[in-house]
Amino acid sequence: MVRNRKIIVTGAEIRIKSYHQQDYICITDMIKIKDGDFFISDWLRNRNTLEYLGTWESMHNQNFNYGEFAIITNKSGLHNFKISVKEWNKRTNAIGLVSTTGRYGGTFAHKDLAFEFGTWISPQFKLYLIKEFQRLKQVESNQYNLEWNVKRILSKVNYQIQTDSIQQNILPKLKIPNDKQWLVYAEEADIINMVLFSCTAKQWRDANPQRAKKGENIRDIASINELAVLSNLESLNATMIRLGENKERRFDILRAEAAEQLLSLNNVDFIKSLKFTSDLTYIEASEQKNDEKQIEEKKLSNFNKSLKKALNSPPPKEKKD
Protein backbone atom coordinates (compact mmCIF):
# COMPACT_ATOMS: atom_id res chain seq x y z
CA MET A 1 0.00 0.00 0.00
CA VAL A 2 1.27 3.48 -0.90
CA ARG A 3 2.12 5.57 2.08
CA ASN A 4 0.98 9.23 1.98
CA ARG A 5 2.88 12.08 3.59
CA LYS A 6 2.64 15.82 3.24
CA ILE A 7 4.88 18.87 3.49
CA ILE A 8 3.97 22.55 3.55
CA VAL A 9 5.91 24.78 1.15
CA THR A 10 5.19 28.53 1.08
CA GLY A 11 1.76 27.81 2.54
CA ALA A 12 0.82 25.06 0.06
CA GLU A 13 0.22 21.43 1.02
CA ILE A 14 2.21 19.05 -1.16
CA ARG A 15 1.71 15.27 -1.05
CA ILE A 16 4.47 12.69 -1.17
CA LYS A 17 3.99 9.01 -2.06
CA SER A 18 6.27 6.01 -2.36
CA TYR A 19 6.62 4.30 -5.74
CA HIS A 20 9.31 1.73 -6.55
CA GLN A 21 10.49 2.24 -2.94
CA GLN A 22 11.37 5.84 -3.78
CA ASP A 23 9.89 9.21 -2.80
CA TYR A 24 7.69 10.86 -5.42
CA ILE A 25 6.46 14.44 -4.91
CA CYS A 26 3.13 15.67 -6.31
CA ILE A 27 3.90 18.28 -8.95
CA THR A 28 0.15 18.74 -9.47
CA ASP A 29 0.08 20.26 -5.97
CA MET A 30 3.18 22.32 -6.76
CA ILE A 31 1.77 23.89 -9.90
CA LYS A 32 -1.07 25.51 -7.93
CA ILE A 33 1.51 27.91 -6.50
CA LYS A 34 2.52 29.25 -9.91
CA ASP A 35 0.66 32.37 -11.05
CA GLY A 36 -1.35 32.15 -14.25
CA ASP A 37 -2.75 29.20 -16.18
CA PHE A 38 0.05 26.69 -16.56
CA PHE A 39 -0.04 22.95 -17.00
CA ILE A 40 2.45 20.13 -16.59
CA SER A 41 2.24 19.56 -20.36
CA ASP A 42 3.70 23.07 -20.80
CA TRP A 43 6.74 21.98 -18.81
CA LEU A 44 7.06 18.82 -20.90
CA ARG A 45 7.07 20.83 -24.15
CA ASN A 46 10.41 22.34 -23.21
CA ARG A 47 13.39 20.64 -24.88
CA ASN A 48 15.62 21.17 -21.83
CA THR A 49 12.99 19.45 -19.69
CA LEU A 50 12.86 16.45 -22.02
CA GLU A 51 16.62 16.14 -22.12
CA TYR A 52 16.77 16.28 -18.32
CA LEU A 53 14.07 13.59 -18.05
CA GLY A 54 15.82 11.46 -20.63
CA THR A 55 19.15 11.71 -18.80
CA TRP A 56 17.51 10.74 -15.52
CA GLU A 57 15.77 7.75 -17.12
CA SER A 58 19.02 6.56 -18.70
CA MET A 59 20.58 6.47 -15.23
CA HIS A 60 17.70 4.72 -13.44
CA ASN A 61 15.62 2.83 -16.00
CA GLN A 62 17.00 -0.13 -17.95
CA ASN A 63 13.81 -0.37 -20.03
CA PHE A 64 13.83 3.22 -21.23
CA ASN A 65 12.95 3.49 -24.93
CA TYR A 66 15.68 5.68 -26.41
CA GLY A 67 14.24 5.47 -29.93
CA GLU A 68 10.93 7.03 -28.93
CA PHE A 69 12.76 9.50 -26.73
CA ALA A 70 14.76 10.71 -29.74
CA ILE A 71 11.60 11.14 -31.83
CA ILE A 72 9.86 13.10 -29.07
CA THR A 73 12.89 15.32 -28.46
CA ASN A 74 13.24 16.17 -32.15
CA LYS A 75 9.61 17.29 -32.29
CA SER A 76 9.92 19.47 -29.20
CA GLY A 77 11.00 22.46 -31.27
CA LEU A 78 7.79 22.48 -33.31
CA HIS A 79 5.14 25.10 -32.50
CA ASN A 80 2.28 22.59 -32.25
CA PHE A 81 4.23 20.02 -30.20
CA LYS A 82 2.55 18.85 -27.02
CA ILE A 83 2.82 15.68 -24.91
CA SER A 84 1.11 14.46 -21.77
CA VAL A 85 2.62 12.52 -18.88
CA LYS A 86 0.65 9.40 -19.83
CA GLU A 87 1.82 9.58 -23.44
CA TRP A 88 5.42 10.16 -22.33
CA ASN A 89 5.31 7.11 -20.10
CA LYS A 90 3.59 4.92 -22.67
CA ARG A 91 5.98 5.73 -25.50
CA THR A 92 9.26 5.70 -23.57
CA ASN A 93 8.54 3.28 -20.67
CA ALA A 94 9.56 6.10 -18.33
CA ILE A 95 9.30 5.62 -14.56
CA GLY A 96 10.26 9.07 -13.27
CA LEU A 97 6.72 10.46 -13.58
CA VAL A 98 3.58 8.73 -12.32
CA SER A 99 0.07 9.93 -13.18
CA THR A 100 -2.94 8.70 -11.19
CA THR A 101 -6.63 9.50 -11.36
CA GLY A 102 -9.35 9.74 -8.77
CA ARG A 103 -9.97 11.87 -5.72
CA TYR A 104 -6.40 11.52 -4.45
CA GLY A 105 -4.82 11.39 -7.89
CA GLY A 106 -2.37 13.68 -9.59
CA THR A 107 1.04 13.62 -11.23
CA PHE A 108 3.91 12.58 -8.99
CA ALA A 109 7.57 13.00 -9.91
CA HIS A 110 10.64 11.33 -8.44
CA LYS A 111 12.21 13.78 -6.03
CA ASP A 112 15.09 14.47 -8.44
CA LEU A 113 12.61 15.49 -11.13
CA ALA A 114 10.31 17.31 -8.71
CA PHE A 115 13.17 19.56 -7.61
CA GLU A 116 13.82 20.39 -11.27
CA PHE A 117 10.12 21.14 -11.69
CA GLY A 118 10.43 23.45 -8.68
CA THR A 119 13.00 25.51 -10.59
CA TRP A 120 10.42 26.00 -13.35
CA ILE A 121 8.04 27.49 -10.76
CA SER A 122 10.74 29.70 -9.20
CA PRO A 123 14.26 29.33 -7.78
CA GLN A 124 13.00 30.46 -4.37
CA PHE A 125 10.27 27.82 -4.37
CA LYS A 126 12.80 25.09 -5.26
CA LEU A 127 14.98 26.02 -2.28
CA TYR A 128 12.01 25.97 0.11
CA LEU A 129 10.87 22.66 -1.37
CA ILE A 130 14.28 21.04 -0.84
CA LYS A 131 14.50 22.41 2.70
CA GLU A 132 11.06 21.06 3.70
CA PHE A 133 11.71 17.70 2.07
CA GLN A 134 15.01 17.35 3.94
CA ARG A 135 13.24 18.26 7.19
CA LEU A 136 10.65 15.55 6.52
CA LYS A 137 13.34 12.92 5.96
CA GLN A 138 15.08 13.95 9.19
CA VAL A 139 11.81 13.68 11.08
CA GLU A 140 11.07 10.25 9.60
CA SER A 141 14.57 9.04 10.43
CA ASN A 142 14.25 10.16 14.06
CA GLN A 143 10.80 8.62 14.33
CA TYR A 144 12.04 5.32 12.92
CA ASN A 145 14.94 5.20 15.37
CA LEU A 146 12.65 6.04 18.28
CA GLU A 147 10.12 3.39 17.21
CA TRP A 148 12.83 0.77 16.74
CA ASN A 149 14.25 1.41 20.21
CA VAL A 150 10.83 1.28 21.81
CA LYS A 151 10.11 -2.02 20.07
CA ARG A 152 13.32 -3.58 21.29
CA ILE A 153 12.64 -2.47 24.88
CA LEU A 154 9.01 -3.58 24.89
CA SER A 155 9.87 -7.01 23.53
CA LYS A 156 12.13 -7.66 26.54
CA VAL A 157 10.35 -5.86 29.38
CA ASN A 158 8.30 -8.69 30.85
CA TYR A 159 9.84 -11.71 29.15
CA GLN A 160 12.10 -12.31 32.15
CA ILE A 161 9.09 -12.22 34.49
CA GLN A 162 7.39 -14.91 32.43
CA THR A 163 10.47 -17.15 32.25
CA ASP A 164 11.00 -16.84 36.02
CA SER A 165 7.41 -17.90 36.62
CA ILE A 166 7.87 -20.89 34.32
CA GLN A 167 11.06 -21.88 36.09
CA GLN A 168 9.48 -21.67 39.53
CA ASN A 169 6.01 -23.07 38.87
CA ILE A 170 6.02 -25.32 35.78
CA LEU A 171 9.43 -26.94 35.42
CA PRO A 172 9.51 -28.46 38.95
CA LYS A 173 6.27 -30.33 38.21
CA LEU A 174 7.40 -31.65 34.83
CA LYS A 175 10.78 -32.92 36.02
CA ILE A 176 12.26 -32.90 32.51
CA PRO A 177 16.00 -32.92 31.71
CA ASN A 178 17.77 -29.56 31.59
CA ASP A 179 18.54 -29.93 27.88
CA LYS A 180 14.79 -30.22 27.14
CA GLN A 181 13.57 -27.35 29.30
CA TRP A 182 13.87 -24.84 26.46
CA LEU A 183 10.86 -26.54 24.85
CA VAL A 184 8.68 -25.41 27.74
CA TYR A 185 9.85 -21.80 27.43
CA ALA A 186 9.25 -21.91 23.66
CA GLU A 187 5.78 -23.38 24.14
CA GLU A 188 4.80 -20.62 26.56
CA ALA A 189 6.19 -17.98 24.20
CA ASP A 190 4.10 -19.48 21.41
CA ILE A 191 0.96 -19.17 23.50
CA ILE A 192 1.51 -15.40 23.37
CA ASN A 193 2.36 -15.58 19.66
CA MET A 194 -0.83 -17.49 18.87
CA VAL A 195 -2.92 -15.07 20.92
CA LEU A 196 -1.47 -11.97 19.29
CA PHE A 197 -0.28 -13.06 15.83
CA SER A 198 -2.33 -16.23 15.21
CA CYS A 199 0.76 -18.31 14.44
CA THR A 200 3.73 -19.88 16.20
CA ALA A 201 7.33 -18.74 15.82
CA LYS A 202 8.09 -21.77 13.62
CA GLN A 203 5.08 -21.16 11.40
CA TRP A 204 6.23 -17.59 10.87
CA ARG A 205 9.79 -18.70 10.03
CA ASP A 206 8.48 -21.27 7.54
CA ALA A 207 6.33 -18.61 5.89
CA ASN A 208 9.14 -16.01 5.85
CA PRO A 209 12.39 -17.90 5.16
CA GLN A 210 14.27 -14.89 3.77
CA ARG A 211 13.52 -12.71 6.77
CA ALA A 212 14.33 -15.58 9.11
CA LYS A 213 17.76 -15.92 7.45
CA LYS A 214 18.43 -12.29 8.35
CA GLY A 215 17.82 -13.12 12.00
CA GLU A 216 14.37 -11.53 12.17
CA ASN A 217 11.54 -13.09 14.12
CA ILE A 218 7.80 -12.65 14.38
CA ARG A 219 8.11 -9.94 17.01
CA ASP A 220 10.51 -7.83 14.94
CA ILE A 221 7.75 -7.03 12.45
CA ALA A 222 5.06 -6.29 15.06
CA SER A 223 3.69 -2.79 15.53
CA ILE A 224 4.44 -0.77 18.66
CA ASN A 225 0.85 -1.27 19.81
CA GLU A 226 1.17 -5.04 19.41
CA LEU A 227 4.44 -5.09 21.33
CA ALA A 228 2.93 -3.02 24.12
CA VAL A 229 0.13 -5.57 24.40
CA LEU A 230 2.64 -8.43 24.15
CA SER A 231 4.55 -7.06 27.12
CA ASN A 232 1.33 -6.85 29.14
CA LEU A 233 0.33 -10.37 28.16
CA GLU A 234 3.66 -11.79 29.32
CA SER A 235 3.14 -10.25 32.75
CA LEU A 236 -0.45 -11.49 32.93
CA ASN A 237 0.58 -14.96 31.81
CA ALA A 238 3.28 -15.08 34.50
CA THR A 239 0.69 -14.20 37.14
CA MET A 240 -1.73 -16.88 35.95
CA ILE A 241 1.06 -19.48 35.94
CA ARG A 242 1.78 -18.68 39.58
CA LEU A 243 -1.93 -19.01 40.37
CA GLY A 244 -2.00 -22.46 38.81
CA GLU A 245 -4.34 -21.73 35.86
CA ASN A 246 -4.20 -24.45 33.22
CA LYS A 247 -2.96 -23.72 29.72
CA GLU A 248 -6.37 -23.70 28.01
CA ARG A 249 -7.85 -21.25 30.49
CA ARG A 250 -4.84 -18.96 30.27
CA PHE A 251 -5.08 -18.95 26.47
CA ASP A 252 -8.73 -17.85 26.53
CA ILE A 253 -8.10 -15.10 29.06
CA LEU A 254 -5.04 -13.82 27.17
CA ARG A 255 -6.99 -13.67 23.90
CA ALA A 256 -9.76 -11.66 25.54
CA GLU A 257 -7.25 -9.28 27.11
CA ALA A 258 -5.35 -8.87 23.83
CA ALA A 259 -8.52 -7.96 21.94
CA GLU A 260 -9.54 -5.36 24.54
CA GLN A 261 -6.09 -3.76 24.73
CA LEU A 262 -5.61 -3.62 20.96
CA LEU A 263 -9.01 -2.00 20.58
CA SER A 264 -7.93 0.76 22.96
CA LEU A 265 -4.41 1.28 21.62
CA ASN A 266 -5.31 1.22 17.93
CA ASN A 267 -7.49 4.29 18.49
CA VAL A 268 -4.48 6.41 19.43
CA ASP A 269 -1.08 7.21 17.95
CA PHE A 270 1.32 5.39 20.30
CA ILE A 271 4.37 7.35 19.14
CA LYS A 272 2.72 10.66 20.00
CA SER A 273 2.14 9.56 23.59
CA LEU A 274 5.91 9.39 24.14
CA LYS A 275 7.85 12.32 25.54
CA PHE A 276 9.93 14.14 22.95
CA THR A 277 12.80 16.58 23.22
CA SER A 278 12.40 18.51 19.96
CA ASP A 279 10.01 19.08 17.09
CA LEU A 280 11.97 16.53 15.07
CA THR A 281 11.28 13.56 17.32
CA TYR A 282 8.16 12.46 15.51
CA ILE A 283 5.95 13.52 12.66
CA GLU A 284 2.18 13.82 12.72
CA ALA A 285 0.79 10.46 11.65
CA SER A 286 -1.30 10.46 8.47
CA GLU A 287 -4.97 9.71 8.81
CA GLN A 288 -5.72 6.03 8.31
CA LYS A 289 -7.48 5.08 5.12
CA ASN A 290 -10.96 3.61 5.34
CA ASP A 291 -9.84 0.20 4.16
CA GLU A 292 -7.16 0.01 6.86
CA LYS A 293 -9.75 0.83 9.52
CA GLN A 294 -12.14 -1.75 8.16
CA ILE A 295 -9.45 -4.45 8.27
CA GLU A 296 -8.63 -3.64 11.91
CA GLU A 297 -12.30 -3.54 12.88
CA LYS A 298 -12.89 -6.89 11.21
CA LYS A 299 -9.94 -8.47 13.05
CA LEU A 300 -11.16 -7.18 16.40
CA SER A 301 -14.72 -8.24 15.65
CA ASN A 302 -13.55 -11.79 14.95
CA PHE A 303 -11.57 -11.76 18.17
CA ASN A 304 -14.54 -10.58 20.23
CA LYS A 305 -16.97 -13.17 18.88
CA SER A 306 -14.90 -16.05 20.20
CA LEU A 307 -13.54 -14.30 23.24
CA LYS A 308 -16.83 -13.21 24.78
CA LYS A 309 -17.83 -16.84 24.83
CA ALA A 310 -14.57 -17.77 26.54
CA LEU A 311 -14.97 -15.07 29.20
CA ASN A 312 -18.52 -16.09 30.05
CA SER A 313 -17.73 -19.78 30.31
CA PRO A 314 -16.62 -21.30 33.64
CA PRO A 315 -13.09 -22.68 33.90
CA PRO A 316 -12.82 -26.34 32.90
CA LYS A 317 -12.76 -28.88 35.71
CA GLU A 318 -9.45 -30.62 36.22
CA LYS A 319 -9.55 -34.37 35.72
CA LYS A 320 -8.75 -36.45 38.78
CA ASP A 321 -6.16 -39.18 38.45
Side-chain angles (χ1 to χ4, degrees):
M1 181 174 293
V2 176
R3 180 188 175 195
N4 284 287
R5 297 107 80 206
K6 298 174 184 178
I7 56 176
I8 305 297
V9 183
T10 63
E13 189 177 86
I14 298 174
R15 293 168 291 161
I16 300 174
K17 290 186 178 181
S18 294
Y19 294 100
H20 317 296
Q21 298 182 333
Q22 295 288 322
D23 289 314
Y24 279 62
I25 302 173
C26 184
I27 59 177
T28 303
D29 294 341
M30 292 166 57
I31 203 172
K32 297 174 184 177
I33 301 168
K34 192 171 177 65
D35 295 330
D37 295 328
F38 293 94
F39 304 93
I40 295 172
S41 57
D42 296 329
W43 178 60
L44 288 174
R45 291 183 62 184
N46 186 282
R47 187 182 184 91
N48 290 334
T49 297
L50 293 174
E51 289 179 348
Y52 184 87
L53 294 177
T55 301
W56 186 91
E57 294 288 345
S58 68
M59 296 171 62
H60 301 89
N61 183 5
Q62 295 180 349
N63 298 318
F64 187 58
N65 190 327
Y66 293 97
E68 283 295 324
F69 168 67
I71 295 173
I72 293 171
T73 305
N74 288 335
K75 290 182 178 180
S76 62
L78 300 178
H79 179 71
N80 62 349
F81 171 75
K82 198 170 186 178
I83 189 169
S84 66
V85 173
K86 288 186 177 180
E87 184 181 357
W88 164 257
N89 287 342
K90 183 178 180 180
R91 292 177 61 179
T92 66
N93 297 322
I95 60 173
L97 300 176
V98 176
S99 182
T100 61
T101 58
R103 182 179 177 184
Y104 302 103
T107 297
F108 291 78
H110 185 277
K111 60 182 178 61
D112 297 342
L113 307 182
F115 294 154
E116 181 66 16
F117 186 79
T119 303
W120 185 67
I121 294 177
S122 77
Q124 294 85 356
F125 176 82
K126 177 182 179 180
L127 290 174
Y128 283 121
L129 175 67
I130 294 174
K131 181 179 179 181
E132 284 304 304
F133 181 80
Q134 290 174 337
R135 185 193 66 81
L136 171 68
K137 300 307 292 184
Q138 181 66 44
V139 168
E140 290 180 340
S141 176
N142 287 342
Q143 175 177 328
Y144 172 81
N145 290 331
L146 173 62
E147 181 175 346
W148 189 86
N149 286 329
V150 170
K151 281 187 175 184
R152 301 309 298 173
I153 293 171
L154 285 174
S155 64
K156 298 178 180 179
V157 167
N158 287 328
Y159 182 72
Q160 186 63 45
I161 297 175
Q162 177 173 282
T163 57
D164 286 348
S165 185
I166 294 169
Q167 186 178 34
Q168 296 166 11
N169 299 279
I170 295 180
L171 293 181
K173 297 178 182 179
L174 297 178
K175 297 180 180 180
I176 61 176
N178 292 338
D179 60 345
K180 299 293 183 181
Q181 291 181 1
W182 66 271
L183 292 169
V184 180
Y185 292 110
E187 184 177 355
E188 288 296 329
D190 272 335
I191 289 178
I192 307 294
N193 290 334
M194 286 296 298
V195 164
L196 202 54
F197 308 116
S198 300
C199 67
T200 66
K202 184 179 185 304
Q203 288 171 337
W204 185 88
R205 290 195 301 270
D206 292 342
N208 301 272
Q210 296 303 319
R211 304 193 74 160
K213 287 181 180 178
K214 296 178 182 179
E216 295 181 338
N217 59 54
I218 190 172
R219 303 184 183 197
D220 289 326
I221 52 86
S223 68
I224 284 185
N225 286 356
E226 288 172 328
L227 286 170
V229 174
L230 184 149
S231 180
N232 294 337
L233 295 182
E234 288 174 333
S235 179
L236 176 59
N237 192 40
T239 299
M240 290 192 292
I241 289 173
R242 287 195 298 271
L243 294 175
E245 290 284 0
N246 63 47
K247 194 178 303 180
E248 291 76 14
R249 180 64 175 169
R250 286 191 281 116
F251 182 82
D252 289 339
I253 293 175
L254 290 170
R255 286 189 66 187
E257 190 65 24
E260 184 176 346
Q261 291 190 21
L262 283 173
L263 182 62
S264 297
L265 291 180
N266 286 342
N267 287 327
V268 299
D269 181 0
F270 195 91
I271 280 287
K272 290 172 65 178
S273 69
L274 301 176
K275 184 177 180 180
F276 62 96
T277 56
S278 75
D279 292 336
L280 295 180
T281 302
Y282 63 76
I283 185 172
E284 290 284 339
S286 301
E287 294 184 0
Q288 286 185 315
K289 289 183 177 291
N290 290 334
D291 55 347
E292 291 176 320
K293 291 182 179 179
Q294 291 172 0
I295 291 173
E296 286 299 325
E297 290 172 358
K298 186 175 181 180
K299 286 181 179 178
L300 295 174
S301 176
N302 290 337
F303 259 124
N304 289 330
K305 286 180 182 179
S306 59
L307 304 181
K308 284 181 180 179
K309 183 178 180 181
L311 283 174
N312 295 328
S313 62
K317 296 181 179 180
E318 295 185 1
K319 295 181 179 180
K320 296 182 178 180
D321 295 334

